[in-house]
């Protein structure tokens, strides 16, 4: 299709609150940095909106872990 699912992330700082069970997932991105997926703000965008000039992070967390978490949230 022409749509992509976007899951916003936030950085995790030492004073960040605990992960909200069922709505957030802590993941590891490039160089071992931690980020938090925010499923309560999930949305779709049109494929044409992707700016390929922009730098995107490489996710080190296993893809199946993320897909399984998202599927549980949606179902």
């Amino acid at each position: 299709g022409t749509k992509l699912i976007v899951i916003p992330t936030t950085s995790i700082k030492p004073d960040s609150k605990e992960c909200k069970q069922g709505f957030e997932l802590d993941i590891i991105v490039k160089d071992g940095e931690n980020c938090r997926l925010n499923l309560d703000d999930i949305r779709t965008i049109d494929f044409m909106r992707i700016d390929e000039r922009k730098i995107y992070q490489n996710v080190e967390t296993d893809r199946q872990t993320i897909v399984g978490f998202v599927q549980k949230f949606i179902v």
Side-chain angles (χ1 to χ4, degrees):
T2 61
K3 297 285 185 180
L4 299 171
I5 293 176
V6 175
I7 305 171
T9 61
T10 55
S11 60
I12 301 173
K13 298 181 176 47
D15 61 340
S16 292
K17 294 182 179 181
E18 290 292 318
C19 189
K20 288 190 272 183
Q21 294 294 340
F23 294 96
E24 297 177 334
L25 176 67
D26 291 349
I27 62 169
I28 300 171
V29 293
K30 183 178 158 187
D31 299 328
E33 185 178 329
N34 291 330
C35 283
R36 184 166 289 159
L37 291 177
N38 299 298
L39 294 181
D40 53 354
D41 199 18
I42 197 170
R43 57 186 170 271
T44 62
I45 63 167
D46 192 84
F47 184 75
M48 301 280 295
R49 295 201 59 198
I50 298 297
D51 184 354
E52 294 188 22
R53 298 171 295 175
K54 188 174 179 178
I55 298 171
Y56 294 93
Q57 294 286 341
N58 291 324
V59 176
E60 293 181 5
T61 300
D62 179 59
R63 178 183 173 91
Q64 274 311 114
T65 300
I66 296 171
V67 169
F69 189 76
V70 172
Q71 285 176 335
K72 286 180 187 175
F73 178 77
I74 292 173
V75 176

